[in-house]
Structure formats: C-alpha cells, structure tokens
C-alpha cells in the first residue's frame, strides 16, 4: 500500500524532527542517501536542550558555554551563550531520533523526482508513487518537492557555501574568526569534538576556493594533522522562502529557514519542525482542516521574516566589510557588554514573537555609528 497519513521528504534535521513532533502512526520518510545520517554536510553545532528533547543525547560529543570571536587583528571577544551548545555525531543523532519514530517507515536510497498536487497529493520516486494529504518538503536547500511545483523556488541569487574537515586541535570554546586575509566574505570556525579533535572550516559568499583557504586556515592555527577529506555544502541563508507551496509544507533549509549572519540552521529547523509537527498532529486528530493548518504554518513562520531580513542586512554588511570596520565593530561590542546582551536577547527570543526589533535596530545603529 502506497498511501500514508504523512509523507516527509528528507531524513535529516528538519525531516526527522517534524516526524518526531508529528508522532503519526502511518508516516513515510523518504531519504535519498543509503542510510539515515550517512552524509554529514554540517558542523552540527546545536543547543544541548534541543538535542535532548529529540531523544538524541547519546549523539552529543562536546558541550560549550562560550563562543570566542576573533577580530582580524587578533582581538578576542568571549560571548557567554545563554544556553549550552554542543557538537553532535550526525549519524548517531539521526539514528537516535529515528529510533523514537516507532511507527514510521523510513525509505532510504530513494530519491524524490517529482510531485503531483492534490488531496491526496503524490510524491514520485522514479516509477514509484506515494500518496498523502499531508506532504512535507524537508529536503534541504534544493527543495526537491516545492521546486517541482514552483519554478525557481530554490533559486539562490548568490552562492554561499561552507566546507570543513576534522583536525587534531583542542579547544574549550567554539571559535569564530573574521578577517579578509583569512576568509574574504565570510568567517572561519573551530568546533571542538572529543579526543583532541575539532571540526575546522570556513564559509563565504564570495567566489573563493574554500579548500585552499581552509588549508591556509589550518596552517594559521598551526595544525599539522587533519583529514584530507572535507565535507560541506550550500547554506541557503539568503532570506526566508514561502513555507507553503501549493498544498505542501516546507521546512528547514528547503524553506530558507537557516539564519543569515550566523548560518544557524539546525535550531531553526527544530523550532519550525515543532510548529509544523504540532499542526499536522491536530489535522490527523480531526481538530484542524488541512487548509487551516497550511495557513497557520505560513503565518507562524513568516512572523519572523522581518528578523530574517534584518539578519540578511547584517550578513551583507559584515561579509563585505573591510577589516578596519570588522575590527571597530568587534571592539565596540567588547567594550560595551550591554549591546551584546541586547543582541543576544533578540537573537534567541525572536522566534517566541516577543523580541524587540526596535531594540535590535537601535543597537545596530549604535555599533555602526562612528
Ligand atoms: C559547512 C556547514 C556547516 C554548518 N554548520 C552548522 C552548525 O554548526 N549549526 C547549525 O545550526 N547549522 C549549521 N549549518 C546549517 C545546517 O547544516 C542546515 O541548516 C541544516 O542541515 C538544515 O537541515 P535540513 O534537514 O533542513 O536539511 P539537510 O540537512 O540538508 O537535509 C536534507 C535531507 O534531504 C535529503 N534529500 C535531498 N533531496 C532529496 C530527494 N530528492 N529525495 C529524497 N531525499 C532528499 C538529503 O539527502 C538530506 O538528508 C551548516 C551548514 C554547512 C553547509
């Protein structure tokens, strides 16, 4: 039988979390990789609480209370995180969440190649078709389902990509490095793991050779031993897309929900997956019409659009700024901790709808003022 209550395309952060919060009995997850969690693209830094809530505590490798920002001239700004973050083992994370989806069918090694709208709609995988009234596109930045319904939906006007490797390097904080010599149009990072290893990488919106630049960054850190193999991918942090396309729900990178400026997409995927999972579960219980669920989901997500737009402006300024501007901004935030406090509050409260955007804009103006 190829009929399901819910079909989710993509078995990564957004898809698995949506399935988790839906807790539907007759749910199908379609994943093109041979196994869930087989292909890590991300640094996998996420809040500890979220990883625990999804029942994936055993995937946690290392936890952190701080992020250290490095200015182009080597000045350090240590930021206390309002919630602990961790690095996770991607494969273990996916397997752990999947274990909690007792009644879900996970079809791996299956690529979605098309979709037919309707109620129920059909998801096409080569010659196979699967039908459901509730279809979720959680297939990452290419939005494999939504793109079939809306031409140009996943088009990115600019490429913004990240790349990293695992290296012998230890640290007790997440480290972020700015500076055009090191990485033009972006930033470099160190996310520690266990056993004296770290994920070391960088991302940029400029057309640069990320592999060469990462070799230089590894040299800069004095790292001699690292894995030759790098992983990474496109980061669609260029603003939110419409989270509803036809009758399809779109979540995570597929809907452009990764935050510009910080490229934080995992926490955001979880947040919107929870909203979506809750709505789907109400449709299945007969408490809500599908059309109303689509409407509410769109409203809930687009409530944050203004914040995403502001973050996009910050990203455009920060990633194109000369070093002296980056130096001054980091120096200003370092010397006035109240600005930092305000920025962090808005950053972490914005999805609750209580964040004060005016306070954010005032802080930004203050930082950029001579
Ligand atoms: C180098 C790098 C580092 C990053 N570091 C961080 C970080 O530390 N913290 C953070 O919060 N964010 C980070 N991000 C962003 C974060 O990884 C993404 O926002 C997050 O992975 C989005 O999850 P997702 O489930 O929406 O999409 P994805 O993780 O991209 O998953 C999409 C899934 O859909 C599957 N799929 C795709 N097409 C099809 C198809 N046609 N049929 C079936 N299945 C399909 C894919 O195989 C994949 O499993 C980073 C990104 C990059 C590139």
């Amino acid at each position: 039988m190829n009929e399901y209550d819910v079909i989710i395309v993509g078995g990564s952060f957004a898809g698995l979390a949506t399935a988790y919060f839906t807790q539907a009995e007759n749910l199908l997850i379609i994943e093109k990789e041979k196994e869930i969690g087989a292909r890590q693209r991300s640094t996998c830094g996420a809040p500890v609480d979220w990883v625990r809530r999804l029942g994936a505590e055993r995937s946690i490798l290392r936890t952190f209370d701080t992020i250290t920002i490095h200015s182009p001239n080597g000045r350090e700004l240590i930021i206390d995180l309002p919630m602990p973050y961790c690095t996770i083992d991607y494969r273990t994370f996916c397997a752990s969440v999947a274990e909690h989806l007792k009644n879900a069918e996970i079809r791996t090694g299956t690529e979605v190649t098309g979709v037919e709208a309707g109620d129920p709609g059909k998801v096409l995988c080569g010659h196979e078709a699967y039908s459901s009234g509730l279809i979720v596109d959680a297939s990452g930045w290419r939005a494999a389902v939504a793109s079939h319904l809306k031409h140009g939906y996943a088009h990115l006007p600019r490429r913004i990509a990240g790349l990293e490797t695992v290296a012998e390097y230890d640290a007790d904080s997440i480290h972020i490095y700015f500076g055009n010599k090191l990485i033009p149009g972006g930033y470099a990072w160190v996310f520690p793991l266990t056993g004296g290893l770290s994920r070391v990488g960088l991302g940029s919106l400029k057309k640069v050779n990320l592999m060469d630049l990462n070799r230089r960054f590894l040299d800069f850190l004095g790292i001699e031993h690292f894995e030759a193999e790098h992983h990474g991918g496109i980061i669609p942090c260029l603003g939110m897309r419409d989270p509803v396309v036809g009758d399809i729900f779109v979540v995570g990178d597929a809907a452009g929900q990764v935050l510009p400026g910080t490229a934080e997409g995992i926490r955001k995927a979880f947040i919107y997956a929870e909203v979506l999972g809750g709505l789907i579960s109400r449709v299945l219980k007969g408490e809500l019409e599908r059309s109303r669920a689509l409407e509410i989901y769109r409203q809930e997500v687009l409530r944050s659009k203004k914040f995403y737009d502001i973050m996009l402006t910050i990203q455009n300024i920060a990633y194109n700024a000369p070093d002296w501007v980056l130096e001054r901004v980091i120096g200003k935030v370092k010397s006035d901790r109240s600005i930092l406090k305000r920025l962090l509050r808005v950053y972490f409260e914005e999805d609750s709808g209580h964040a004060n955007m005016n306070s954010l804009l005032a802080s930004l103006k203050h930082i950029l003022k001579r």
Side-chain angles (χ1 to χ4, degrees):
M1 190 183 82
N2 284 343
E3 278 176 36
Y4 295 85
D5 287 344
V6 186
I7 295 178
I8 297 176
V9 179
S12 181
F13 297 108
L16 291 170
T18 303
Y20 182 90
F21 287 114
T22 303
Q23 286 297 331
E25 297 273 313
N26 181 26
L27 181 145
L28 172 68
I29 296 177
I30 304 175
E31 168 54 53
K32 75 174 177 185
E33 298 297 335
K34 282 203 185 97
E35 270 173 58
I36 289 280
R39 187 154 165 232
Q40 180 186 332
R41 297 170 188 81
S42 170
T43 312
C44 299
V48 171
D49 283 355
W50 268 106
V51 177
R52 286 204 181 119
R53 270 189 79 190
L54 290 161
E57 187 160 2
R58 71 187 163 96
S59 68
I60 294 176
L61 296 171
R62 187 87 174 254
T63 59
F64 313 94
D65 296 317
T66 58
I67 289 193
T68 307
I69 307 284
H70 298 256
S71 76
N73 291 346
R75 215 184 319 198
E76 284 185 12
L77 165 67
I78 299 174
I79 300 176
D80 293 320
L81 287 163
M83 58 182 85
Y85 268 62
C86 59
T87 38
I88 53 177
D89 180 88
Y90 180 62
R91 189 183 284 268
T92 310
F93 172 84
C94 293
S96 308
V97 182
E99 270 169 26
H100 295 281
L101 309 175
K102 292 211 171 57
N103 298 311
E105 182 182 333
I106 302 181
R107 203 167 268 259
T108 50
T110 308
E111 183 164 358
V112 169
T113 50
V115 63
E116 281 174 19
D119 190 7
K122 272 190 191 155
V123 172
L124 312 173
C125 305
H127 297 301
E128 292 285 331
Y130 304 94
S131 69
S132 174
L134 295 162
I135 297 174
V136 177
D137 186 349
S139 65
W141 74 273
R142 282 196 179 87
V145 184
S147 293
H148 277 281
L149 292 176
K150 192 170 174 183
H151 181 71
Y153 177 77
H155 171 71
L156 294 173
R158 276 172 294 145
R159 189 198 78 128
I160 177 154
L163 178 120
E164 67 174 18
T165 188
V166 175
E168 277 185 19
Y169 190 78
D170 202 8
D172 51 11
S173 168
I174 295 169
H175 289 268
I176 305 287
Y177 293 80
F178 285 96
N180 285 291
K181 277 198 206 96
L182 216 48
I183 172 71
Y187 59 84
W189 63 77
V190 173
F191 277 64
L193 308 169
T194 47
L197 300 174
S198 292
R199 293 184 179 134
V200 178
L202 31 76
S204 170
L205 50 70
K206 298 231 156 110
K207 277 191 183 153
V208 289
N209 185 328
L210 288 176
M211 188 74 97
D212 281 356
L213 286 171
N214 206 35
R215 290 269 155 84
R216 269 173 38 194
F217 180 48
L218 289 156
D219 270 355
F220 167 83
L221 294 174
I223 294 173
E224 286 177 9
H225 302 287
F226 56 89
E227 287 176 8
E229 201 181 304
H230 283 58
H231 62 254
I234 298 291
I235 311 175
C237 50
L238 294 173
M240 274 186 165
R241 301 168 177 168
D242 193 336
V244 171
V245 177
D247 296 330
I248 307 290
F249 298 94
V250 194
V251 66
D253 274 15
Q257 290 168 352
V258 53
L259 268 171
T262 57
E264 198 190 8
I266 300 172
R267 181 174 60 96
K268 286 294 175 183
F270 294 160
I271 287 170
Y272 293 118
E274 184 174 23
V275 172
L276 179 54
L279 289 168
I280 289 177
S281 137
R282 287 175 62 198
V283 175
L284 294 175
K285 284 184 199 147
E287 295 170 8
L288 204 64
E289 291 288 326
R290 179 182 80 154
S291 56
R292 187 71 190 119
L294 286 159
E295 238 173 73
I296 298 175
Y297 178 61
R298 174 185 268 142
Q299 277 165 12
E300 286 287 312
V301 174
L302 293 183
R303 225 160 40 129
S304 292
K305 188 166 179 342
K306 186 171 176 195
F307 177 66
Y308 273 70
D309 289 345
I310 296 172
M311 290 300 290
L312 185 57
T313 307
I314 295 174
Q315 176 171 281
N316 288 337
I317 296 172
Y319 292 4
N320 289 301
D323 281 356
W324 67 267
V325 172
L326 294 170
E327 196 62 49
R328 213 186 58 202
V329 167
I330 293 170
K332 236 179 186 175
V333 177
K334 193 174 156 86
S335 65
D336 183 350
R337 305 293 290 189
S338 66
I339 302 180
L340 185 62
K341 242 181 165 173
R342 279 207 297 275
L343 291 177
L344 285 174
R345 192 176 312 136
V346 176
Y347 184 83
F348 285 103
E349 282 183 359
E350 126 338 277
D351 41 79
S352 68
H354 299 306
N356 184 342
M357 290 301 150
N358 292 336
S359 142
L360 173 64
L361 290 171
S363 302
L364 292 173
K365 265 190 200 148
H366 180 69
I367 293 172
L368 293 171
K369 216 168 52 190
R370 276 194 172 273

